[in-house]
Amino acid sequence: MHKNDTYGQRRTLYVTDMDGTLLDLYSKVSPESATLIHDLSRRGALITVATARTPATVVPLMRDCHTRVPYVTMTGAAVWNPVKGEYDDLTLLDDDTARRVKHIMESHGLHPFIYTITPDRRLLAAYHNGPVSRAERSFADLRRGLDLKRFYFDDPAGLADSLPRTILYFAIGEVEATRAVAERLRAAGDCAVSSYTDSTIPGYGIIEVLARGIDKGAVVRRVARRVGATRIVAFGDNLNDLPLLRVADLPVAVGNALPEVKAAASEVIGSNDTDAVARFIEADFMSSH
């Protein structure tokens, strides 16, 4: 028997995506889901999230859940320790790649937000230099009140070719520019690139650039080893959740998931507006205790 197995049962890590999976139609953890997760955590269930969000929004969303397992954030580039209140596992962009990403973005007229981790490993600092579009200003204004994120506009520190502890480049611009930048960066193959259309502004696109090889699955495996889990149950709804489902012993799709995600899952449960994830965790955990 594995040293972390109890009465013949494997110790399970439950990992859920947030948007479209754990979060409801209002992009919140419902009171019922929060109560279930809180109670299960107190009983010893290992529950965490794996999301593209930053800790700045994950921490307040998970506040009523009172989980203690590290959060996999920024698609796996950053692990947040909710007990210590700091980052404790980071995959940063190397200086050469950061310089090249900045140059390519600027050559296409994009002025990115450059996300860096502060030396105390507690805050995310986002630098932006150059003209600020309405979309960029709105993006920052919606996040200014967050405790774990700071925005700096036209700060001299943000003018360097590469900034210390850079973890993410994020840019909003005309969709032709974001697509062109994504194509150039993907062709080089030395960073992870996500490019998609902006759902709020017609004709605009968004591009996010992280270090090469970043995905939720690899980091979740590290978290599982760290907490002594010998079984992984994972929940998702979108294409970026596929690496997470591939490392799971039991991959689960919510009812509103894309067809490709449902095809990769062993089970399909209710949609994200029915507390389906928390209810499934409760049933699975209680069946083995």
Side-chain angles (χ1 to χ4, degrees):
M1 183 186 299
H2 189 279
K3 67 180 181 179
N4 289 309
D5 290 356
T6 304
Y7 304 111
Q9 301 296 332
R10 303 175 69 188
R11 196 175 193 203
T12 299
L13 174 65
Y14 299 97
V15 189
T16 177
D17 170 55
M18 296 192 75
D19 293 272
T21 305
L22 176 64
L23 303 187
D24 61 19
L25 300 181
Y26 302 97
S27 295
K28 303 289 185 183
V29 180
S30 76
E32 181 168 353
S33 285
T35 297
L36 282 171
I37 291 171
H38 180 201
D39 291 345
L40 290 166
S41 297
R42 291 183 63 184
R43 295 183 186 188
L46 302 173
I47 304 172
T48 191
V49 297
T51 176
R53 288 175 174 265
T54 72
T57 59
V58 173
V59 170
L61 284 168
M62 294 295 291
R63 184 162 289 136
D64 292 336
C65 296
H66 301 285
T67 55
R68 298 174 63 84
V69 180
Y71 303 148
V72 177
T73 68
M74 302 178 76
T75 317
V79 174
W80 177 262
N81 188 320
V83 177
K84 295 181 178 179
E86 64 183 30
Y87 295 92
D88 62 8
D89 188 353
L90 298 167
T91 304
L92 304 175
L93 285 157
D94 65 77
D95 289 345
D96 288 342
T97 302
R99 279 191 289 269
R100 194 170 59 80
V101 170
K102 186 170 186 281
H103 172 74
I104 289 174
M105 284 189 168
E106 290 178 346
S107 71
H108 285 268
L110 299 179
H111 298 277
F113 290 93
I114 307 171
Y115 283 70
T116 68
I117 306 297
T118 58
D120 62 4
R121 300 169 74 92
R122 293 184 180 275
L123 296 176
L124 197 61
Y127 292 89
H128 184 285
N129 288 84
V132 183
S133 69
R134 180 172 57 88
E136 291 166 336
R137 181 65 66 184
S138 175
F139 172 82
D141 286 346
L142 287 172
R143 294 159 176 81
R144 281 190 186 277
L146 298 173
D147 291 339
L148 300 177
K149 184 182 287 188
R150 300 287 184 274
F151 285 92
Y152 300 94
F153 287 89
D154 292 321
D155 190 300
L159 292 172
D161 286 339
S162 64
L163 304 184
R165 299 173 301 281
T166 293
I167 193 167
L168 167 70
Y169 277 84
F170 177 93
I172 307 171
E174 293 185 0
V175 70
E176 293 84 359
T178 57
R179 286 176 179 170
V181 169
E183 288 176 6
R184 289 183 62 181
L185 293 176
R186 285 174 180 145
D190 57 358
C191 52
V193 182
S194 176
S195 177
Y196 48 95
T197 57
D198 189 328
S199 60
T200 61
I201 305 177
Y204 269 64
I206 292 172
I207 183 169
E208 300 174 358
V209 182
L210 296 160
R212 179 172 54 187
I214 291 296
D215 70 54
K216 295 179 180 180
V219 181
V220 164
R221 275 186 172 144
R222 294 206 298 270
V223 172
R225 289 194 296 268
R226 175 173 166 179
V227 300
T230 57
R231 173 177 178 251
I232 298 173
V233 176
F235 305 84
D237 76 303
N238 214 328
L239 297 180
N240 67 342
D241 297 318
L242 291 175
L244 170 62
L245 298 189
R246 282 195 287 267
V247 304
D249 298 282
L250 178 56
V252 182
V254 287
N256 53 287
L258 293 177
E260 298 93 328
V261 179
K262 291 180 178 178
S266 298
E267 294 198 34
V268 178
I269 59 176
S271 61
N272 67 313
D273 61 344
T274 62
D275 301 296
V277 169
R279 292 177 184 275
F280 187 96
I281 294 173
E282 179 187 36
D284 188 84
F285 180 79
M286 297 306 293
S287 71
S288 61
H289 288 75

